[in-house]
Amino acid sequence: MSRFIFPFFVISSLLFAGGCAAIIAGGATGTQKLLEYTFENVAKKTFTSKIMTVRDVSIEALDQMGLSHEKTGQTGTGFEILAGTKGLTVEIEIEQVTGQVSRVTVNAKRGWFRKDYATAKEILQRMELLINRQITQAMKSSREDDGPLILLIP
């Protein structure tokens, strides 16, 4: 009887070992998807504007959306802005790439794990609109000062 029990346990353990491999592979895939969600559901954009302009426009965009600006701090490469409302936390990182180029990352979170990519993207779109308005106003004022603006297209 004991000689039948040992082979039974060996064969059973081999069947379960295949299942463990599937569980391990599934766990690895789940971990990969979690990391992708954490890092990819963050809106990013590069602006051809000075970092101070991008910082000011970020705060204005948050105000337009009714998100309360809580804090602006300086980092080694730029600024970090914290804002939010009940149930939503927004982190904006502004990094100076060159004197004329700034990279912005917007991370909107609902709780610990849920991201709000749509809100993060809307903040960037409003920032772009505000920067474009500033450029347009600057062009209009320079035309009024210098006369008509003539563009030569090659």
Side-chain angles (χ1 to χ4, degrees):
M1 181 84 155
S2 64
R3 69 180 155 157
F4 293 113
I5 293 175
F6 181 71
F8 173 75
F9 283 124
V10 170
I11 291 171
S12 297
S13 67
L14 289 175
L15 291 174
F16 289 122
C20 287
I23 290 172
I24 290 170
T29 302
T31 302
Q32 177 186 2
K33 291 296 181 192
L34 177 65
L35 290 173
E36 286 176 4
Y37 177 77
T38 300
F39 291 110
E40 290 180 7
N41 275 345
V42 175
K44 299 177 182 179
K45 185 158 181 64
T46 301
F47 293 100
T48 306
S49 292
K50 294 183 179 186
I51 193 165
M52 300 305 277
T53 302
V54 175
R55 183 198 64 187
D56 295 342
V57 162
S58 301
I59 295 169
E60 188 176 347
L62 292 169
D63 288 341
Q64 284 183 357
M65 294 178 69
L67 297 167
S68 61
H69 173 242
E70 296 171 9
K71 181 176 117 178
T72 299
Q74 198 160 359
T75 64
T77 57
F79 294 97
E80 181 177 69
I81 299 171
L82 298 177
T85 187
K86 186 176 181 179
L88 180 68
T89 304
V90 177
E91 299 172 1
I92 301 175
E93 294 179 21
I94 306 169
E95 176 186 2
Q96 184 173 357
V97 178
T98 68
Q100 296 295 324
V101 175
S102 303
R103 180 175 165 83
V104 180
T105 304
V106 180
N107 187 3
K109 300 185 283 188
R110 295 191 177 276
W112 288 90
F113 296 108
R114 290 183 55 209
K115 302 274 186 157
D116 189 347
Y117 181 74
T119 301
K121 193 72 172 169
E122 176 65 19
I123 292 168
L124 286 177
Q125 288 174 349
R126 285 186 178 268
M127 289 172 60
E128 183 174 21
L129 178 68
L130 291 167
I131 288 173
N132 287 339
R133 280 187 190 160
Q134 286 183 359
I135 292 170
T136 303
Q137 288 174 351
M139 290 176 66
K140 283 182 182 178
S141 67
S142 73
R143 269 190 270 157
E144 291 169 1
D145 295 341
D146 298 337
L149 177 66
I150 300 172
L151 296 176
L152 298 176
I153 301 173

